[in-house]
Amino acid sequence: MEYQYILKINGMMCGMCESHINDVIRKNFNIKKVNSSHTKNQTIITSSEELDEELIKTKIGETGYKVEDIKKEIEEEKKGLFAKLFKK
């Protein structure tokens, strides 16, 4: 199972802001991937485990940015072409 968190963040103005947010997420959470966009005011986090949304808000807030909203999407494991062949 894979979790995707879509954060709406207020305060990002440039590429350095994006890097700052990404670094904070990487240092504080066990994630697969993080990508921020200051033009969309958005950060997308992909993780194989559920994350503490309040802690996300707190850690980002400590850097001077504000998380306006968090949407969580859950994706089932994607099956490949040969998944049926190896099914037990």
Side-chain angles (χ1 to χ4, degrees):
M1 195 171 298
E2 193 169 88
Y3 299 89
Q4 190 171 65
Y5 294 84
I6 302 166
L7 286 58
K8 181 179 178 188
I9 300 179
N10 189 3
M12 288 192 291
M13 300 298 207
C14 63
M16 287 303 294
C17 296
E18 295 170 357
S19 294
H20 199 192
I21 294 288
N22 292 346
D23 288 344
V24 167
I25 296 297
R26 284 187 193 107
K27 287 178 185 175
N28 290 285
F29 301 95
N30 183 20
I31 63 162
K32 287 184 173 183
K33 185 169 65 169
V34 61
N35 187 8
S36 296
S37 169
H38 72 278
T39 56
K40 294 180 181 179
N41 294 320
Q42 176 177 287
T43 296
I44 299 174
I45 304 168
T46 304
S47 176
S48 57
E49 58 190 49
E50 286 192 81
L51 303 177
D52 183 337
E53 294 182 25
E54 287 305 313
L55 188 58
I56 292 172
K57 290 179 183 179
T58 300
K59 291 298 180 183
I60 291 175
E62 289 172 358
T63 65
Y65 304 98
K66 184 174 182 188
V67 178
E68 300 287 336
D69 187 42
I70 298 178
K71 291 181 184 172
K72 178 172 75 171
E73 297 177 358
I74 302 171
E75 293 183 17
E76 294 297 323
E77 192 172 323
K78 295 177 182 169
K79 307 259 186 216
L81 178 62
F82 298 103
K84 291 181 183 178
L85 295 175
F86 298 106
K87 190 175 181 180
K88 292 182 179 181

